[in-house]
Amino acid sequence: MQCPVQNRDNADLLLAYCARRLDAEAAAVLERHMQQCEACRAFGEAQKAVWAALDAWEAQPLSEDFDRRLYARIRREEEGSFWTRWVQPRLPLNPRPALSLAVAASVLLVALLVQSPPPASRLAEVEMVDAEQVERALDDLEMLRQVNLTPRAEPPVTQAM
Amino acid sequence: MAQRVSQDMVAVTALEPDAELMLRVKGGDAASFALLLERHRVPVIHFLYRMVQNQAVAEELAQEVFLRVYRARLSYEPTAKFTTWLFRIAMHLALNCLRDGRAERGHASLDVETQENASRQVPDRRPSVEQDLVFEVKLAEVRRAIETLPAKQRAAVLMHKYQELEYSQIARVLSCSESAVKSLLFRAYETLRARLAHLA
């Protein structure tokens, strides 16, 4: 067989062997090769040492109230808002595309609102303009009335040719 | 009608047991969720513990994993093995935690005798104090060696060694190809051999 240490394509054979996941036939072939190949033998022994060290690393036992705390969190969510009860369970695990769309739509809406002033203020403007115009018109009328009451000015003298 | 019923049953039985349970959770069966939790909480917590090396943070992350599984129940589709999906969620949370540095804030120093290290029960098979010390030093070396691995290599090694996931599953969890997984494992074990071979 091709040396697994030299040929990286076969290196996972050694990994599988050291993880005790290689089938019996393949393991036997590899062991025969290891008896002849110094590099593979050293590789195998070093890998076994790694596994033994990793085996020694036991995980901590979990807390006794782990389940109780989890169910309490679930209950809190179940009793929560409309969002957590009805919308969130139906969202995909990755809501980023939907969120991006929502943000874009919000920005567009704000932009539209900023550009077009609300009708109420426009109405107020029109009302203001009308009031001013009326006042001016009244002043003009008053002025004209006063002009009509003064004596007529002498007609201009036209010079004879 | 009978043919359609038997075809549906064939489809259901073709699913793995965990996927079947999750589909029942989707249908509102709380007992199935409890069963999934009982089956998978310990492996998930152990994986997270070895990733972040902090038991309290690992349990908090594990709670978040199962909470997300529960939240996603209505949109669940069995497109992959249940454990692949579960460990993908766990891995993402672990990577985020490592990036945020949350595990380090409560992290017990490996050089100091702490509550976490002191609470380890000494098995009866090691009555000698000297043997206990040697064991603790060895353990500290292992933890340090794993901690120095880049996050993806660390995750690959932990899933390969402790969860015994296949390369294809690890590839789906890490969103990469099988050959990329083998490459990650090869480099990770190379580093570990260099750091831990003297412990043999």
Side-chain angles (χ1 to χ4, degrees):
Chain A
M1 70 175 288
Q2 275 191 330
C3 177
V5 170
Q6 306 294 328
N7 182 3
R8 212 181 238 224
D9 289 342
N10 289 332
D12 56 304
L13 265 181
L14 281 175
L15 288 176
Y17 171 76
C18 296
R20 295 177 287 271
R21 289 199 221 176
L22 213 54
D23 62 76
E25 194 183 326
V29 169
L30 188 58
E31 276 167 357
R32 276 200 297 276
H33 171 80
M34 279 177 169
Q35 283 167 8
Q36 296 157 12
C37 178
E38 184 67 38
C40 285
R41 193 165 49 246
F43 180 101
E45 281 169 8
Q47 189 60 42
K48 279 177 187 169
V50 168
W51 285 119
L54 293 179
D55 282 341
W57 188 19
E58 291 171 7
Q60 304 261 320
L62 76 156
S63 308
E64 285 177 7
D65 63 343
F66 179 87
D67 286 6
R68 185 190 59 76
R69 284 185 285 125
L70 174 63
Y71 285 122
R73 283 179 75 172
I74 289 174
R75 219 172 12 255
R76 274 199 299 275
E77 282 209 1
E78 299 268 84
E79 291 163 4
S81 63
F82 169 79
W83 175 266
T84 54
R85 287 179 66 194
W86 295 103
V87 179
Q88 205 164 44
R90 290 164 176 79
L91 282 179
L93 271 181
N94 182 14
R96 276 185 209 154
L99 274 175
S100 306
L101 274 172
V103 167
S106 307
V107 167
L108 196 62
L109 187 64
V110 165
L112 284 170
L113 284 171
V114 164
Q115 274 182 5
S116 56
S121 65
R122 187 173 273 177
L123 189 60
E125 265 182 40
V126 167
E127 282 177 358
M128 261 177 59
V129 166
D130 281 345
E132 280 173 14
Q133 275 182 346
V134 165
E135 205 174 309
R136 232 181 281 131
L138 285 172
D139 287 344
D140 291 345
L141 279 172
E142 179 61 27
M143 198 171 63
L144 280 171
R145 193 179 69 81
Q146 285 177 1
V147 165
N148 283 337
L149 287 174
T150 56
R152 195 173 286 183
E154 288 181 5
V157 173
T158 53
Q159 285 182 342
M161 293 282 296
Chain B
M1 173 74 172
Q3 191 181 7
R4 191 177 143 191
V5 167
S6 68
Q7 276 174 354
D8 287 346
M9 285 179 70
V10 166
V12 166
T13 52
L15 286 173
E16 49 148 353
D18 288 339
E20 277 186 44
L21 282 174
M22 192 61 210
L23 285 171
R24 290 197 193 122
V25 176
K26 183 177 181 176
D29 182 5
S32 294
F33 181 76
L35 200 50
L36 284 170
L37 180 65
E38 196 178 321
R39 274 187 200 176
H40 297 288
R41 60 164 150 20
V42 170
V44 166
I45 292 172
H46 286 183
F47 168 72
L48 288 166
Y49 167 70
R50 291 185 174 108
M51 278 296 286
V52 303
Q53 299 201 20
N54 183 306
Q55 181 67 10
V57 172
E59 288 197 12
E60 187 190 307
L61 292 175
Q63 296 237 331
E64 186 61 31
V65 168
F66 288 101
L67 201 57
R68 289 187 182 206
V69 165
Y70 186 76
R71 276 188 206 140
R73 66 197 184 283
L74 294 175
S75 58
Y76 174 75
E77 293 296 334
T79 53
K81 280 185 81 169
F82 179 79
T83 45
T84 305
W85 181 50
L86 194 66
F87 277 93
R88 182 183 268 183
I89 301 171
M91 199 215 54
H92 280 292
L93 290 174
L95 290 181
N96 289 343
C97 177
L98 291 171
R99 260 198 300 270
D100 295 344
R102 272 188 285 146
E104 289 173 11
R105 285 183 218 135
H107 186 53
S109 166
L110 293 172
D111 298 323
V112 174
E113 182 74 9
T114 62
Q115 187 70 27
E116 192 180 306
N117 293 338
S119 68
R120 285 190 59 84
Q121 296 301 315
V122 177
D124 287 335
R125 65 180 186 274
R126 298 194 185 91
S128 152
V129 169
E130 192 180 336
Q131 282 176 326
D132 289 343
L133 282 171
V134 167
F135 179 80
E136 290 298 329
V137 166
K138 189 176 174 178
L139 195 62
E141 290 237 33
V142 171
R143 290 179 63 172
R144 241 192 305 265
I146 292 285
E147 203 175 21
T148 57
L149 292 175
K152 275 198 165 179
Q153 284 186 25
R154 192 190 309 185
V157 164
L158 296 179
M159 284 188 277
H160 183 246
K161 161 68 180 130
Y162 295 104
Q163 313 312 323
E164 297 184 346
L165 298 189
E166 298 298 330
Y167 294 137
S168 57
Q169 266 189 294
I170 299 173
R172 292 190 83 163
V173 170
L174 297 179
S175 304
C176 63
S177 64
E178 270 191 51
S179 58
V181 168
K182 288 178 186 177
S183 182
L184 281 172
L185 284 171
F186 191 85
R187 277 182 273 140
Y189 285 130
E190 206 167 41
T191 305
L192 291 176
R193 277 194 302 277
R195 291 193 70 124
L196 301 175
H198 66 282
L199 296 177

